[in-house]
Amino acid sequence: MDSLFILLFAVSILYFSISVNIKRYIFLLGFQGILLFLIALIGLDELSYFNIGFIAVETLVFKGILIPVYLLNISKRNKITNINNFKNHRKMKGFYLIIATISVFIITIILGNLLKNDFIKIKYLSTAITAVIMGLIFIVINKTITIHIISFIVIENGVFLMALAVGNEMPFLINTAILLDLFVSVLVLGIFFNKLTYHFHDDSSDVLSSLKD
Amino acid sequence: MLSSILILICAIVFPGLIAVTKAKFSGRRGPSVWQPWYDIFRLLKKGSIFSTTTSIIFQVAPVINILVLIIAALFIPFTNKYAGFIHFEGDFLLFIYLLALGKFFIIISALDVGSGFEGMGANREALFSMLIEPAIFMIMAALVLLTGQSSLAEMFTTFNLDSSSSILFVVLSCYILLQFSLIESSRLPIDDPKTHLELTMIHEVMVLDNSGFDMALVGIGNALKFSIFGGIIANVVLILWELPLWQEVLIFILIEIIFAITIGVLESFRARLKMIYNSQFVLTISGIAVVMFLMILLLENHL
């Protein structure tokens, strides 16, 4: 069953490539959060009640509900609905992004198989690396700060999945680190973003070049 | 043979059901379920008019299209009990290429007219067909991988839900086949059969010069194509259970009806994509199929 969820996670990365609507991005983020919870629940062998609770809070509550709701509020408050509304918002077309995603996925599967390590779950690892690489590509090619935040969370989701790939139990330290990362990234970037749009009325990172002391 | 007969029967109500569903969801009373067939019979009584610029290709294309679709329908087995009327090793390849052949003739007949609009439609149709082709090949390849068979009939006989990759295949292939049928039949979100603006048309603009008998054949071909895809989905779903024959026949027809209503519902609530987004949407469906195939490769330890 975990294979189906992993596959749906990979499909969600594909849909990230063609989305232009902020609501759809946020929906996909929430969907990924729920998928991660289900994957962790099925994939991890050694789970104590504390671990389940912690993972549920991290994935279901934070990644699945709180962060999407928070991002939705930010986008509503700043009237950001569609990234196409911003000039030169993206340097790469969705068509090429899909080809890039599939290529990355194929390469990671081939490389993963070369490892020939019984302790590593290849399907988890390849999807995780694809999420991390595509998250980085989304950040590089997009100029809108909202997409930067969303892409960062995609990378975090990839890291979470990677932690699942290399062991049957998920160390508490990794969980805490990811949760801390999310707090810092989403909350700080959210506050920063609100301030930025308040002053510049624009979501593009280009406006940062006009910042002065 | 049973599935081919059922597919032909379901093709009769398919276009009408879609039209009625769309009418109901938009708050209209809508036409009768048989209205598309009244139109087709009206057209069948008429003769065809051919432009002087067209050649024999334009005249034979609708006939070839309908013929290859009927032959393709003969390949479809009925669940895991009865093989299709035509079946042999590697028949799935011929099945796919028969569907492509029909489309190829419609495309070159549109180019044969020499009209700029029809050429544009043919160009778009060829592009989308090329981009969606990997999806159906990936589904078939996954089925070959899971069953170890290369005949459609054998594949459905051998297929079972023992492994997680089989469950994964059923879920994803139903979704991909639904999208594939919408794209292949030029429906929303790629194309709108009700559009009246030639610049935004894809399939409709290709058959603008067809009239009378030929136009009726094109209409029958569209209904038949939908019914074939519905038949494949019905087979994928029906192999999950062991049921008596009469129940399987009823469920087969029921799935075809649900498939038609689903298309009607999707078209009622879905907006048409901008033309520039069409190719990336089609490629995404192929991408999902590729990812599914790779995952099955991993799960079955073939890598």
Side-chain angles (χ1 to χ4, degrees):
Chain A
M1 202 62 185
D2 60 334
S3 310
L4 181 64
F5 297 135
I6 289 277
L7 186 60
L8 288 176
F9 189 89
V11 169
S12 72
I13 302 170
L14 270 177
Y15 273 109
F16 263 111
S17 311
I18 59 163
S19 297
V20 285
N21 192 319
I22 296 291
K23 266 187 189 168
R24 185 170 292 175
Y25 274 113
I26 294 170
F27 166 78
L28 285 170
L29 267 190
F31 183 62
Q32 281 196 349
I34 295 163
L35 282 178
L36 283 179
F37 174 69
L38 294 170
I39 293 166
L41 209 62
I42 297 169
L44 295 178
D45 296 334
E46 293 163 33
L47 269 178
S48 63
Y49 286 116
F50 176 74
N51 259 334
I52 293 174
F54 196 87
I55 287 172
V57 168
E58 187 185 343
T59 52
L60 266 186
V61 180
F62 275 96
K63 288 180 176 174
I65 301 164
L66 286 181
I67 290 173
V69 170
Y70 179 63
L71 286 174
L72 206 62
N73 278 335
I74 288 179
S75 64
K76 269 186 190 166
R77 204 182 306 142
N78 297 295
K79 295 183 180 111
I80 302 157
T81 51
N82 194 316
I83 58 167
N84 276 347
N85 296 343
F86 303 99
K87 225 178 181 181
N88 302 324
H89 61 91
R90 193 189 258 180
K91 291 175 187 168
M92 200 173 176
K93 283 183 179 172
F95 187 85
Y96 301 114
L97 271 176
I98 296 163
I99 295 173
T101 313
I102 299 166
S103 311
V104 169
F105 194 69
I106 293 171
I107 293 166
T108 47
I109 280 184
I110 294 168
L111 291 178
N113 267 286
L114 290 177
L115 285 173
K116 289 193 183 357
N117 191 327
D118 293 337
F119 297 104
I120 297 173
K121 297 171 187 165
I122 308 293
K123 59 184 176 184
Y124 283 63
L125 189 71
S126 4
T127 315
I129 295 173
T130 309
V132 172
I133 293 175
M134 289 318 294
L136 285 170
I137 293 175
F138 292 148
I139 289 177
V140 172
I141 63 161
N142 276 296
K143 286 189 174 180
T144 45
I145 295 167
T146 324
I147 305 299
H148 288 180
I149 303 172
I150 291 169
S151 308
F152 183 78
I153 301 166
V154 173
I155 295 174
E156 289 295 333
N157 289 345
V159 173
F160 184 91
L161 206 57
M162 212 180 283
L164 290 174
V166 290
N168 286 328
E169 62 175 58
M170 202 162 169
F172 180 69
L173 201 63
I174 295 177
N175 269 325
T176 321
I178 290 174
L179 207 55
L180 203 66
D181 255 4
L182 284 177
F183 270 127
V184 172
S185 61
V186 179
L187 296 178
V188 173
L189 275 174
I191 294 162
F192 166 71
F193 178 71
N194 275 331
K195 290 280 174 200
L196 191 77
T197 44
Y198 177 73
H199 284 289
F200 295 101
H201 311 289
D202 198 349
D203 186 31
S204 172
S205 55
D206 281 348
V207 295
L208 293 174
S209 58
S210 60
L211 272 179
K212 289 173 186 161
D213 286 335
Chain B
M1 194 67 186
L2 179 63
S3 58
S4 311
I5 295 165
L6 287 173
I7 283 169
L8 289 174
I9 292 168
C10 292
I12 296 170
V13 289
F14 220 104
L17 269 176
I18 296 174
V20 168
T21 312
K22 283 173 78 174
K24 295 287 174 206
F25 275 100
S26 55
R28 290 181 286 117
R29 199 168 146 220
S32 155
V33 177
W34 310 108
Q35 187 58 46
W37 285 92
Y38 293 145
D39 295 339
I40 285 171
F41 281 123
R42 180 172 48 81
L43 288 168
L44 282 173
K45 287 178 197 164
K46 294 182 179 180
S48 297
I49 299 168
F50 301 113
S51 160
T52 49
T53 58
T54 57
S55 68
I56 187 78
I57 291 171
F58 182 78
Q59 295 173 23
V60 298
V63 182
I64 293 176
N65 181 43
I66 196 94
L67 275 178
V68 292
L69 285 171
I70 291 169
I71 298 168
L74 294 174
F75 280 81
I76 310 286
F78 183 74
T79 65
N80 48 7
K81 287 198 172 78
Y82 299 100
F85 185 70
I86 307 169
H87 59 98
F88 50 87
E89 287 294 311
D91 58 358
F92 74 94
L93 282 172
L94 187 62
F95 170 74
I96 296 169
Y97 279 112
L98 278 173
L99 295 178
L101 183 71
K103 183 156 272 193
F104 171 74
F105 268 93
I106 292 291
I107 288 171
I108 57 166
S109 79
L111 291 171
D112 192 41
V113 177
S115 150
F117 278 132
E118 295 196 26
M120 180 188 68
N123 177 10
R124 288 171 179 170
E125 183 98 342
L127 173 70
F128 300 144
S129 297
M130 185 192 78
L131 292 175
I132 198 66
E133 204 85 329
I136 193 81
F137 271 104
M138 286 298 145
I139 287 179
M140 289 298 169
L143 207 51
V144 170
L145 209 66
L146 288 169
T147 60
Q149 307 290 338
S150 62
S151 156
L152 275 172
E154 292 295 323
M155 282 179 199
F156 284 106
T157 313
T158 327
F159 187 81
N160 54 50
L161 277 179
D162 287 350
S163 59
S164 59
S165 44
S166 308
I167 302 167
L168 192 143
F169 173 79
V170 170
V171 175
L172 262 292
S173 62
C174 282
Y175 173 74
I176 294 165
L177 278 172
L178 176 68
Q179 299 291 353
F180 180 79
S181 60
L182 288 173
I183 294 162
E184 275 288 297
S185 313
S186 303
R187 309 290 295 207
L188 284 171
I190 296 297
D191 193 9
D192 185 4
K194 292 286 172 210
T195 184
H196 296 289
L197 182 63
E198 286 89 345
L199 276 172
T200 62
M201 288 177 179
I202 298 173
H203 180 74
E204 301 305 314
V205 77
M206 285 165 59
V207 293
L208 274 181
D209 273 54
N210 289 95
S211 58
F213 187 79
D214 286 351
M215 194 61 208
L217 291 185
V218 171
I220 297 169
N222 285 344
L224 194 58
K225 199 184 270 186
F226 258 127
S227 195
I228 289 173
F229 293 128
I232 299 173
I233 294 177
N235 271 332
V236 172
V237 176
L238 271 171
I239 49 176
L240 305 180
W241 301 286
E242 275 297 322
L243 295 168
L245 182 65
W246 67 273
Q247 282 183 14
E248 285 191 333
V249 171
L250 276 180
I251 293 174
F252 189 96
I253 295 169
L254 194 71
I255 290 171
E256 287 266 21
I257 291 170
I258 293 170
F259 182 54
I261 294 171
T262 308
I263 290 168
V265 174
L266 280 175
E267 291 201 346
S268 302
F269 293 101
R270 215 171 190 183
R272 189 184 168 171
L273 285 173
K274 278 185 183 176
M275 200 58 81
I276 51 164
Y277 296 131
N278 275 349
S279 50
Q280 67 187 45
F281 175 77
V282 179
L283 191 67
T284 307
I285 304 302
S286 287
I288 294 170
V290 172
V291 171
M292 177 194 76
F293 177 69
L294 288 171
M295 203 59 91
I296 290 173
L297 262 182
L298 267 182
L299 291 172
E300 296 291 307
N301 294 321
H302 283 287
L303 264 174

